Amino acid sequence: MVHEIKIPLAALQLLQENIQTQINSNKNRQIKTEISQISHLVDQVLYYSRLDNFTQDYLIQRYRLKKIVNQVALENMTTFF
């Protein structure tokens, strides 16, 4: 059931990207933020639903933490402000 939410969410993301030049940039930023928050919450629900076998879903590797933190900070910059 939750997976079905991902389809219209992906469609909204595509629509938002296509109309971003046609609407006020502030409104576009708000739409993008809301879509991002909904997507994050849906992903959390999916992760929680698979807690019993999550080890099969992840590949454990070494990563550079600074690079990841910078990327996440940039992606969520509007939320911070």
Side-chain angles (χ1 to χ4, degrees):
M1 182 78 144
V2 177
H3 286 283
E4 294 172 3
I5 296 171
K6 296 290 276 184
I7 295 169
L9 188 56
L12 279 173
Q13 288 172 325
L14 289 172
L15 284 170
Q16 182 270 328
E17 290 170 7
N18 286 335
I19 64 169
Q20 66 184 353
T21 58
Q22 298 174 7
I23 60 174
N24 180 324
S25 63
N26 188 39
K27 294 279 186 199
N28 186 50
R29 213 173 307 121
Q30 289 174 341
I31 291 169
K32 188 174 184 177
T33 300
E34 295 300 324
I35 290 171
S36 177
Q37 289 175 344
I38 293 168
S39 181
H40 176 72
L41 292 171
V42 170
D43 287 340
Q44 280 186 327
V45 170
L46 289 171
Y47 291 141
Y48 291 141
S49 70
R50 295 189 311 229
L51 275 179
D52 292 337
N53 60 357
F54 78 95
T55 55
Q56 298 170 5
D57 292 343
Y58 295 100
L59 175 62
I60 299 174
Q61 295 181 341
R62 290 183 180 256
Y63 291 97
R64 293 181 183 212
L65 186 59
K66 184 176 180 178
K67 182 178 178 182
I68 294 171
V69 170
N70 286 341
Q71 181 180 353
V72 170
L74 285 173
E75 290 173 2
N76 295 289
M77 186 172 34
T78 56
T79 305
F80 296 148
F81 295 118

